[in-house]
Amino acid sequence: QGQQLSNSSSVIQFLLLAFVDTWELQLLHFWLFLCIYLSALLGNGLIIITIACDHRLHTPLYFFLLNLSIIDLGSISTTVPKTMANSLWHTREISYRGCALQLFLFTFLVVAEFSLLTIMAYDRYVAICQPFHYGTLLGSRACVHMAAAAWGCGFLNALLHTVTTFSIPLCQGNAVDQFFCEIPQILKLSCSHSYLREVGLLVFGVCIVFGCFVFIVVSYVQIFRAMLRIPSQQGRHKAFSTCLPHLTVVSLYVSTGTFAYLKPPSISSPSLDLVVAVLYSVVPPTVNPLIY
C-alpha cells in the first residue's frame, strides 16, 4: 500500500505496479521483456544504421523513418529497462526524480512520434498526389525543419505536462497503478480539484492529437483518390505499397492508444490496464521495424 501523504514534497519515491508476485514469474517477466527489448534495439538499430550508411536511402521518406526509429528506441528504453530491473531485484520502487523523468521522456517521445507520423502522411500525400513538386515541397531543409518541429512539439508538450503534473499536491499515497509513471496514474494520487489544470492541458493535447489524426485521414482520402486515377495496376500497387507500412503503424498506434485512454470505466481493471499499457508502450516500438 502507498503511504498516506499530506503533500507532494513528502513523496521521495513511488511504488510501481508489479506484473506478478512470485519470484519465478518475475524471472519469467524479466526474460520475456529482455527478449522484447533486445528485438526492439536490434530492429530499430538496423534501420538507423542502414539508412545512415546507404546514400540511396537519403530521401525524405527514409529520413523520417530514421527519426521514427530513434524515437521508438527512446520510447521503449524509457519504460522497459526499469520494469525489468524491478522484477530482477524484487522491488517496485522508483525515485521521485526518476518518476518525473520517466513521465517527461515518455510524454515527449509519444507526442513527437505522432507528430512525425503526421508529417510522414504529408510526405506520402506529396509523393503520390503532387509528384512533380516533391523535390520542392520536401527538400532537405524542409525535411529537417519538419522533423525539428515534431521533436520540439513533443519537448514543449512534455515540459508543460511534467511541470504541471508534479506541481500538484499528492494526498492519495504513492502507489502508481501502472508499471511506469504516466500522467493519468499520477493524477489519481492528487488532492481533489487540484488536478483540473492538468486535465485541461490533457484535453487540449487530445484536441491536437485529434487534429493530427484528421489530417492523416484527409491525406489518405486524397491519396486513395489519386491512386484510383493511376492507369496501370502495377502503378497502383507500387503507390499503395509505399503507404501500407505507414498506414499499419498509424493504425496500431491509434488503436492501442485510443483503447487505453478512452475505454469505458466499467471494463477497467488493474490487470487489463497493465496489458493495454504494454500494447501501446512496448508493442509499437518493437513491431514498427518489422512493419517497415
Side-chain angles (χ1 to χ4, degrees):
Q1 296 295 320
Q3 306 158 10
Q4 292 301 313
L5 301 160
S6 59
N7 56 60
S8 58
S9 61
S10 303
V11 178
I12 58 172
Q13 66 181 19
F14 292 93
L15 300 177
L16 298 174
L17 188 63
F19 275 85
V20 288
D21 296 326
T22 63
W23 166 244
E24 291 79 9
L25 289 176
Q26 282 184 339
L27 206 57
L28 179 63
H29 160 245
F30 169 80
W31 286 111
L32 178 62
F33 268 59
L34 179 63
C35 292
I36 292 172
Y37 185 54
L38 291 177
S39 299
L41 289 182
L42 179 63
N44 287 291
L46 283 174
I47 286 180
I48 292 168
I49 292 170
T50 303
I51 294 174
C53 295
D54 193 338
H55 291 286
R56 293 172 299 175
L57 301 181
H58 291 181
T59 62
L61 173 62
Y62 289 104
F63 171 73
F64 294 133
L65 180 57
L66 172 73
N67 279 267
L68 185 68
S69 291
I70 293 172
I71 290 172
D72 282 338
L73 272 181
S75 177
I76 198 167
S77 297
T78 299
T79 58
V80 170
K82 180 58 181 175
T83 190
M84 285 166 50
N86 280 3
S87 289
L88 195 59
W89 303 118
H90 196 61
T91 181
R92 295 171 52 196
E93 298 173 359
I94 183 171
S95 68
Y96 185 90
R97 289 183 178 179
C99 185
L101 180 62
Q102 195 176 60
L103 186 146
F104 171 80
L105 289 174
F106 186 74
T107 307
F108 166 37
L109 294 166
V110 163
V111 174
E113 178 155 355
F114 199 68
S115 300
L116 195 65
L117 289 173
T118 306
I119 292 168
M120 292 173 81
Y122 175 70
D123 168 79
R124 292 299 82 205
Y125 164 77
V126 175
I128 294 171
C129 299
Q130 301 183 40
F132 297 112
H133 299 287
Y134 190 75
T136 306
L137 295 174
L138 286 161
S140 57
R141 181 174 293 182
C143 289
V144 170
H145 287 167
M146 284 189 280
W151 286 91
C153 181
F155 179 83
L156 291 174
N157 183 76
L159 186 64
L160 196 61
H161 280 294
T162 305
V163 170
T164 305
T165 301
F166 281 90
S167 65
I168 295 170
L170 306 178
C171 310
Q172 307 297 324
N174 67 337
V176 179
D177 290 332
Q178 193 52 272
F179 74 95
F180 64 94
C181 292
E182 62 174 355
I183 294 170
Q185 301 303 330
I186 300 296
L187 292 183
K188 287 182 181 180
L189 307 178
S190 66
C191 303
S192 59
H193 305 302
S194 59
Y195 59 87
L196 293 178
R197 182 173 51 180
E198 173 58 24
V199 170
L201 282 175
L202 282 174
V203 171
F204 178 69
V206 167
C207 291
I208 293 176
V209 169
F210 182 73
C212 290
F213 178 70
V214 169
F215 180 87
I216 292 172
V217 171
V218 171
S219 296
Y220 271 103
V221 169
Q222 298 299 320
I223 287 169
F224 289 139
R225 288 176 61 184
M227 282 183 188
L228 293 175
R229 293 195 294 267
I230 298 175
S232 69
Q233 184 177 353
Q234 184 180 0
R236 287 195 297 270
H237 181 268
K238 183 179 179 182
F240 182 71
S241 67
T242 64
C243 296
L244 185 60
H246 179 260
L247 262 178
T248 308
V249 169
V250 169
S251 301
L252 177 67
Y253 196 80
V254 170
S255 59
T256 54
T258 301
F259 183 73
Y261 289 103
L262 298 180
K263 67 181 183 297
S266 58
I267 66 169
S268 184
S269 68
S271 56
L272 178 62
D273 291 346
L274 205 59
V275 171
V276 171
V278 171
L279 286 178
Y280 75 79
S281 65
V282 176
V283 172
T286 308
V287 174
N288 286 356
L290 298 176
I291 293 172
Y292 272 101

